[in-house]
Structures are given as structure tokens and as C-alpha cells.
Amino acid sequence: MIYLRLIAESFRFAWQALRANLLRTILSLLGVTIGIFAIISVFTLVDSLERNVRDSMSFIGDKVIYVQKWPWSTGGSYPWWKYFQRPEPTEQEFRLLERRITTSAGVAIMASRGGNTYKQGNNSYSNGNLTGISYDYPKVSEVPIADGRYFTPQESEAARNVMIIGDEIATTLFPYGSPIGQTLKVAGQKFTVVGIIEKQGENIFGMENMDQMGMIPYSTFSKMFDVGPRGIGSSIVLKGREDDPGLLELEYEARGILRNIRGLRPRDEDSFAMNRPEMIQEAIGGFFQVVGLGGWVIGGFSILVGGFGIANIMFVSVKERTNIIGIQKSLGAKNYFILFQFLFESVFLSLLGGGIGIMLVFLLTLIPQDMMKITLSVGNIILGLGVSAVIGMLSGIIPAVLASNLDPVIAIRSK
């Protein structure tokens, strides 16, 4: 009970100090408020950006390796003239790799063609992507079907004209009814719609996603277009197993099989690229770390100013209440009681300033955003309050120690 009374009395003193010198307190807390606002707003923006980036890249797949002609580059020199001479992955290589590999959870092949116009009656959708995928593609990357179904093995093997369409294409071509079982025309061919992909929404990159995509069997795609060295390039996609978190076993085995298929000698360079989405994510993660560090630097200066402001309030508070401190000590108050009283007041004031800063960040997250959703996480709230509490303790520790060490007789005589 004594500790509860101590906290209640400390809170009462802090509130009285706040009300008695409202303008001075507000100006002093402004630094903490701005500092916490700067740090938490940057961290909230970075977290939201990173989450939206990862969501935007979800169609690439998780724990996958893309075997392609061109490597993904994140900086440095890019000897394109060397990569230009490489052959494109072929369906034959895909079949051999699928048959021989043992460390993969799934193998698929895909190819895409952009700038397609989808037509149904008087409705049309321009600049849509048309992607051919093998039957096992859902094993390497998610194909979220909202309505209808996926291809059957027979449809895939027989190169049937069946299609799964994105939400944007579906709502544009079939605004008044279900597209399932209906036909549409693209690239001069008629297709029967068998499935609709879940709505993905606009991504942060502004790139096409599954909403603007039509998926057909790879066999149908290769029958319609020139797929190969002089035509549209294909990508072989390998899915890693759960017991291979780094995908090292998968990468080593796939590289050995592909080199053997292409007849490469031991000293020959790979004539293919093995691209991993983690390469892009790591580059983006490094950028976010730099932005986060900038937030700490910007907010740190404001918090430093706010800390001095709180320390000034506490020094003034000790001077104004020296007589009261003397009376408390003469009535038996221990040094730790006085120390805790002033330290609590300092932390309370700092938490108040930090709480206002966090509230401002929360109000900003309520502003509607078209490109991405900004969310204030519980972790960032705890971080902001934690930083505020630490600043309050550091700012109030010296005034609190001075107050607790006052001589009661001298303190009572002071005016």
C-alpha cells in the first residue's frame, strides 16, 4: 500500500506542476513530442513500406529460385553483352530438371507476354499480361483462386484454351455477371474462363500484378507464341523444401543438373542465372535501415532538446518545493521516497510528451492512402513510450538526487 500511495502522491505532484506552469511545461515537452513523432513516424513509414514491398513481391514466391537467362542486378557493373549470348531456358530442360532433381518441393516453367488486349463483346481491357504456367506452378508460387478452379492435368497436357483471369480483367469484361464458363478473346484466340484470382490491389511499385493478368497452360502459350531463343523467354522456377532454409542444397543440385544438361565443362561459366527474390529484399532492407537511422538522427536532436527542457523543469520544481521537501523529510520521509517522487514526475512528463507524439503519428495513419496502407504497430508504440521513459529518467535523475540529499533543517528554512 505504501508504494501505491507513493505513486499516487508523485502523480499528484506531477499534475500540480503541469497545471501550475502550463505554458512552460508545454514548451519544454515540445522537444520530446517532436522527437518521438519524428522517430516513430519514420519507423511507421519504413515498416509500412517494407510490408507493402513484400506484399507487392508476393507473386514472385517465397523460398524459390528462378532459372533465367538474365541475372537480377542490384548494383555495380552489368555485363549485358555476355548475358545476351546465353540461351533461354527451354521446356525440354524443364522436363529433364523436373525428372532428375531430388531437393526441390516443386518445379514449374512459366513465360509471359505483355501488352495484350482482352475482349468480350463490346468490352475490352488493354495492356494486360498473359502468362503461361505449367500445371505444377501452384507448388512454387501461390495462385489464390477466388471463384472457379485451377486447370486440370488433362487441360494442361492437351493445351486447351482455358484461362484464369485477374480481378481487374474480370470486372472490366464481365461487369454484370460471373465470368466462370464465359469466353473471351485475346491474341486472336478464344478462351473459356475457369477461374478468377483474388483481388490483389495496387502495389507500391506500380507494376502489373495478378489483377491485370490472365493465366493459361504453358503448353497453350507455347502453341500460340514463339517461345525460345528467338522469341519469348521462359523461366524455370524451383521451390525449396522446409529442411533447406538457405536453399543451398537446391541451388547446388540444380546448378549441377543444368550444367550437365547444357554440356558445360568444369571451367566453363554458367550459361544461366539462378535468381532469388531475397536479393531484391536484402537490397530494399538495406535502404530501409539507412532511412531508419536517419529517423533516429533527426528525432535524437529533438529528444535531446526536450530532455534538457524536462531537466530544467525538474530543477525549477526542486527549488520551488525545497521547503515541502524539508517538511517531508522531517516527518520521516526516506531519501528514496523523495528520489522516486521527482523521478516519477520527470518520467510522467516525458511520457506525456511522447504520448502526444505517438498520437500525432496515429492521426496521420488515418489519412486514406491509395498506394499503400500505413499502420502504427504495437511495437512502435512500445518503442516510443520506452524511449520517452528513458529520456524522462535521464533528465530527472540529477534533480531527483539533489532533492533526496537535501538537509531537512536547511530545506525547511529556505523560502
Side-chain angles (χ1 to χ4, degrees):
M1 290 299 295
I2 189 171
Y3 291 105
L4 292 177
R5 290 176 58 189
L6 178 62
I7 293 174
E9 189 169 344
S10 300
F11 179 81
R12 183 169 56 85
F13 274 119
W15 185 250
Q16 287 176 352
L18 176 63
R19 293 182 59 187
N21 303 282
L22 186 60
L23 182 60
R24 183 187 69 186
T25 304
I26 290 175
L27 293 175
S28 299
L29 296 184
L30 197 57
V32 176
T33 299
I34 294 174
I36 295 298
F37 173 78
I39 292 174
I40 302 305
S41 60
V42 169
F43 276 30
T44 298
L45 185 61
V46 167
D47 290 347
S48 300
L49 276 170
E50 191 167 3
R51 182 174 58 256
N52 280 271
V53 165
R54 296 188 187 280
D55 290 344
S56 298
M57 294 177 60
S58 61
F59 67 93
I60 298 178
D62 180 42
K63 293 186 64 177
V64 294
I65 296 176
Y66 282 78
V67 180
Q68 297 171 314
K69 174 179 178 178
W70 300 90
W72 299 345
S73 177
T74 56
S77 60
Y78 191 80
W80 60 269
W81 55 90
K82 182 171 64 175
Y83 305 140
F84 181 76
Q85 300 175 9
R86 292 176 172 179
E88 292 280 359
T90 64
E91 185 175 3
Q92 182 182 8
E93 291 174 338
F94 157 67
R95 297 297 179 189
L96 291 171
L97 186 61
E98 184 181 35
R99 205 158 45 235
R100 297 181 188 179
I101 200 161
T102 61
T103 57
S104 174
V107 185
I109 189 170
M110 62 177 294
S112 295
R113 179 179 183 265
N116 301 279
T117 299
Y118 292 80
K119 295 181 179 180
Q120 200 283 324
N122 294 325
N123 299 323
S124 65
Y125 183 88
S126 303
N127 295 322
N129 196 12
L130 184 63
T131 302
I133 55 176
S134 59
Y135 177 73
D136 286 337
Y137 184 78
K139 291 183 179 180
V140 299
S141 184
E142 184 182 6
V143 183
I145 304 295
D147 190 16
R149 59 175 178 84
Y150 189 68
F151 312 129
T152 64
Q154 294 77 15
E155 289 170 341
S156 185
E157 290 297 327
R160 300 279 176 80
N161 283 19
V162 290
M163 180 181 292
I164 302 170
I165 59 176
D167 180 80
E168 195 169 316
I169 297 176
T171 54
T172 302
L173 299 186
F174 304 93
Y176 302 113
S178 174
I180 304 300
Q182 302 295 319
T183 60
L184 58 79
K185 193 172 183 179
V186 60
Q189 297 283 329
K190 285 187 177 182
F191 286 86
T192 301
V193 179
V194 297
I196 304 172
I197 303 172
E198 287 181 5
K199 183 177 177 61
Q200 306 294 304
E202 195 172 3
N203 63 56
I204 193 171
F205 294 122
M207 299 188 305
E208 287 185 338
N209 57 23
M210 289 186 177
D211 290 345
Q212 302 97 34
M213 182 183 297
M215 290 184 170
I216 62 176
Y218 183 82
S219 53
T220 308
F221 187 91
S222 59
K223 185 177 66 174
M224 294 172 57
F225 306 107
D226 181 14
V227 181
R230 294 183 178 85
I232 300 173
S234 299
S235 300
I236 299 174
V237 192
L238 306 168
K239 177 73 172 181
R241 297 187 313 197
E242 293 299 327
D243 58 354
D244 184 19
L247 304 185
L248 296 179
E249 293 182 14
L250 175 61
E251 185 174 348
Y252 292 152
E253 185 184 18
R255 175 174 279 112
I257 293 172
L258 285 167
R259 288 180 62 87
N260 179 264
I261 292 172
R262 294 193 173 184
L264 298 176
R265 292 172 295 183
R267 294 193 178 185
D268 291 341
E269 290 186 7
D270 291 342
S271 60
F272 52 86
M274 303 192 75
N275 297 315
R276 300 169 65 163
E278 300 96 281
M279 297 161 53
I280 301 175
Q281 293 176 359
E282 287 175 3
I284 294 172
F287 168 75
F288 287 146
Q289 288 179 357
V290 173
V291 175
L293 180 61
W296 275 110
V297 172
I298 295 171
F301 284 110
S302 297
I303 287 179
L304 185 64
V305 174
F308 284 123
I310 292 175
N312 177 63
I313 292 176
M314 298 312 300
F315 278 118
V316 173
S317 182
V318 170
K319 185 173 180 62
E320 291 177 344
R321 287 155 47 188
T322 300
N323 186 262
I324 297 175
I325 295 170
I327 294 173
Q328 287 178 320
K329 298 190 77 172
S330 66
L331 293 176
K334 302 296 184 181
N335 286 353
Y336 73 84
F337 179 90
I338 306 298
L339 175 70
F340 181 84
Q341 190 178 77
F342 282 90
L343 202 57
F344 181 88
E345 182 177 336
S346 176
V347 171
F348 170 74
L349 293 174
S350 184
L351 283 174
L352 184 61
I356 295 172
I358 294 173
M359 181 59 67
L360 292 176
V361 176
F362 175 73
L363 293 176
L364 287 180
T365 62
L366 300 179
I367 300 175
Q369 299 292 330
D370 293 331
M371 288 300 297
M372 68 175 184
K373 182 179 180 182
I374 301 177
T375 306
L376 177 61
S377 66
V378 176
N380 283 333
I381 294 175
I382 295 174
L383 174 64
L385 295 177
V387 171
S388 300
V390 170
I391 293 299
M393 292 185 67
L394 294 177
S395 302
I397 188 66
I398 295 178
V401 169
L402 291 177
S404 64
N405 290 328
L406 286 174
D407 183 277
V409 177
I410 298 176
I412 291 174
R413 291 176 177 176
S414 65
K415 295 183 180 180

